[in-house]
Amino acid sequence: MRADKQVKVALVSCGSEYAGVQGELEKVTSSVNAKLIFPEIDIASLDTIGRDFGIEAASPDLRLMMARAQAVVEGIADVDGVFITSCFRCAEAAIVRNEVRRYINKHSNIPVISYSFTERTTAATLMTRMEALTTIARRKHLLAREKQTGLTAGIDSGSTTTKAVIMKDNNIIGQGWVPTIKVIDSATEAFNLALEEAGVKAEEVQGIGTTGYGRFLVGEHFKAQLVQEEITVNSKGAVYLANKQKGSATVIDIGGMDNKAISVEDGIPGMFTMGGICAGASGRFLDMTAKRLGVEITELGALAVKGMQEKVDMNSYCIVFGIQSLVNSLAKGARPEDVAAAACHSVVEQIFEQQLQEVDVKEPLILVGGSSLIEGVPKALSSLLKIDVLVPPNSHLIGAVGSALLASGFVEE
Amino acid sequence: MAKVIIYPINSLILSDLVERFGHKPLAMMEKIKEKVNTVGVDSPPLNITAVEPKMGLKYAAVEVPAGVRGRMAIVGPMIDEAEAAIIVNEASMAFGCMGCARTNELTKYLIRQKNIPILEAEYPRSEEEGQEFVYKIAEFLRSLSTEERT
């Protein structure tokens, strides 16, 4: 990674240097061999940018933000990526941030991420996002790969489960799926299961790719050629498994700890968001719902499909309140299938409210991650968005497949 | 000599005027210089760390964005220290600005709440208004010296 060229990231913010997070922003960019650039602007443009851009913001720093975005689009600032950021809880900044992101996306091909910070935002929080931004900027040739070649492995060390696949000549020949307990032990177990099913030995594997929260540790342990965050890997894996590598697509990955919504063009991520204000919007809430209903997580989906979410009032904005609604509704005599359907609807509703507003949803909508196997989830998403939701085969192995696919690029290199 | 807080808080012209009349301007530039020159803090460009938004809690609640509280951690103590104030409303950006409209509102409010001599002037739009503007400020600053003497 360090041998790659340094990526120039334009910082388009309304004063992150006053909010105590600048040091963390510098730290995260330097850790991915990138550099923050403050785009130069003509000071006189601040008087007219409100009208030119269309938002007459009261805060001069927000006008500065718009002027800097304009400098990026017009090529005055030579940058490879853009990081748009403003204070969490500032309504005016939220409006400008969102419109600036759309503006850059519409008028340029430069990858953009947007984030609202508090003084507690750390480099670690931003790591996956910044890694994805720089990867998109510097490794487009790798992300353009459409076929897996040779014998490669992919390991996705997720927050809840660890998945591994062995791929040979564009086919999955072995897979392993285990709960994540100790990161390396679980990865080894999943990898061994996949090797066993594939009937190959670890020494025969030509390339390994790792992703997920434990990617660095697992990558180091297995001497992986590719250690990559989930946003680029999962979008690649999703369009590959769904056979939608050309054109536009939207990928939604409901994970155990957070969710990703990614708009993809020819297999390369464009805009993306990572979110989930609380675990109530993640697969974890579904896991807890299954436990409370006394069913296996694998049975929750079938149960949810039989139920009607309208019959149960549930809001899992916070996992604690979500469980409270669940307990209350059961106490009032609600049927378990209705509760299961309401839980699926609640998770999906939050993804819609919190994340899909920031990503332009273009069909096909590909739903991946373990939660996509809970039938109630794609059903709820489809009914909320009024479009068909595509769940590709092996959708839970998305990260592992994407890693194995991208790792084959290193084998050829 | 009076400690005079100026608004816009980083206006070079106002700061210079205050100084010419023998008073001490309380301005952003001085505070930022202190921050930047602080040895041991490494958070460029302004060396503001997560500690400042917490210090800003004295002036704004936790619901207020971190950027406002970070700014208030610097501006707030200057307001506390001020013995007089000059507020210029509707100033052009080149005259000085704090960047964040919410911080500006809070800064002006807190200054107005203090029981100190305050001059509020509109930013001049013509040469004539400009002369009147400087005259008003000069008068105000002279009056501070008189008050001090009496």
Side-chain angles (χ1 to χ4, degrees), chain A residues 22 59-61 63 87 89 119, chain B residues 44 63 69 71 93 99 101:
Chain A
Q22 198 64 25
S59 293
D61 276 347
R63 284 182 240 162
C87 290
R89 299 194 191 101
E119 69 271 31
Chain B
E63 294 94 336
R69 284 185 282 120
R71 287 172 171 97
M93 236 178 267

Side-chain angles (χ1 to χ4, degrees), chain B residues 5-7 9 28 31 59 69-81 98 103 106-107 110-111:
Chain B
I5 189 162
I6 54 171
Y7 180 91
I9 200 83
M28 196 70 168
K31 297 288 168 191
Y59 308 97
R69 284 185 282 120
R71 287 172 171 97
M72 287 313 295
I74 302 168
V75 179
M78 287 195 275
I79 301 173
D80 294 342
E81 212 185 326
M98 258 306 287
T103 310
L106 186 57
T107 299
L110 291 176
I111 293 174

Side-chain angles (χ1 to χ4, degrees), chain A residues 14-24 26 38 43 46-47 58-63 87-92 117-120, chain B residues 28 32 42-46 48-50 52-54 62-71 74 93 97-102 104:
Chain A
C14 61
S16 47
E17 58 271 37
Y18 284 102
V21 293
Q22 198 64 25
E24 296 298 309
E26 295 284 350
F38 294 86
I43 190 85
L46 293 179
D47 291 328
S59 293
D61 276 347
L62 288 174
R63 284 182 240 162
C87 290
F88 178 57
R89 299 194 191 101
C90 178
E92 191 182 33
F117 56 77
T118 69
E119 69 271 31
R120 290 174 188 270
Chain B
M28 196 70 168
I32 292 296
D42 189 19
S43 182
L46 303 184
I48 290 173
T49 67
E52 273 80 5
K54 282 187 192 131
V62 73
E63 294 94 336
V64 176
V68 177
R69 284 185 282 120
R71 287 172 171 97
I74 302 168
M93 236 178 267
C97 76
M98 258 306 287
C100 170
R102 302 291 89 85
N104 294 346

Side-chain angles (χ1 to χ4, degrees), chain A residues 52-288:
Chain A
D52 290 351
F53 191 87
I55 304 176
E56 294 185 61
S59 293
D61 276 347
L62 288 174
R63 284 182 240 162
L64 179 64
M65 210 165 149
M66 293 185 268
R68 283 183 168 155
Q70 197 176 46
V72 167
V73 165
E74 288 175 359
I76 298 165
D78 174 27
V79 294
D80 308 303
V82 183
F83 182 50
I84 307 170
T85 192
S86 66
C87 290
F88 178 57
R89 299 194 191 101
C90 178
E92 191 182 33
I95 293 169
V96 175
R97 195 181 69 237
N98 204 32
E99 294 313 318
V100 160
R101 185 181 50 74
R102 280 178 201 277
Y103 167 78
I104 298 175
N105 200 263
K106 188 176 170 190
H107 298 286
S108 78
N109 289 321
I110 302 170
V112 181
I113 49 173
S114 136
Y115 190 79
S116 59
F117 56 77
T118 69
E119 69 271 31
R120 290 174 188 270
T121 297
T122 62
T125 321
L126 299 169
M127 185 64 191
T128 302
R129 295 169 177 85
M130 200 57 89
E131 207 185 332
L133 183 75
T134 51
T135 302
I136 299 163
R138 72 158 64 99
R139 287 187 171 173
K140 275 199 170 159
H141 68 287
L142 185 69
L143 298 177
R145 164 163 294 271
E146 291 183 359
K147 276 191 174 172
Q148 185 274 344
T149 52
L151 181 67
T152 59
I155 303 172
D156 177 2
S157 174
S159 62
T160 313
T161 58
T162 301
K163 289 77 71 179
V165 296
I166 306 291
M167 290 184 77
K168 189 182 180 189
D169 300 333
N170 215 25
N171 289 306
I172 300 169
I173 59 168
Q175 55 175 276
W177 188 16
V178 300
T180 304
I181 301 164
K182 283 185 178 172
V183 171
I184 292 179
D185 291 355
S186 301
T188 308
E189 192 187 343
F191 186 45
N192 288 342
L193 284 172
L195 285 170
E196 198 179 316
E197 191 181 312
V200 296
K201 289 183 182 145
E203 311 82 82
E204 294 173 60
V205 175
Q206 295 167 294
I208 297 180
T210 63
T211 190
Y213 283 94
R215 63 187 177 278
F216 294 111
L217 199 60
V218 175
E220 200 183 336
H221 180 77
F222 287 97
K223 297 188 173 46
Q225 283 77 6
L226 175 93
V227 177
Q228 194 67 57
E229 40 58 49
E230 309 91 282
I231 290 164
T232 45
V233 168
N234 288 9
S235 17
K236 199 65 217 172
V239 293
Y240 171 80
L241 285 175
N243 201 19
K244 301 283 180 193
Q245 304 219 46
K246 290 284 175 220
S248 310
T250 307
V251 176
I252 295 179
D253 177 8
I254 305 177
M257 203 157 83
D258 58 34
N259 308 316
K260 292 121 200 150
I262 314 159
S263 81
V264 184
E265 195 66 42
D266 291 338
I268 297 173
M271 281 199 278
F272 61 86
T273 63
M274 258 181 91
I277 295 280
C278 177
S282 73
R284 181 77 62 194
F285 181 64
L286 298 172
D287 198 25
M288 290 182 74

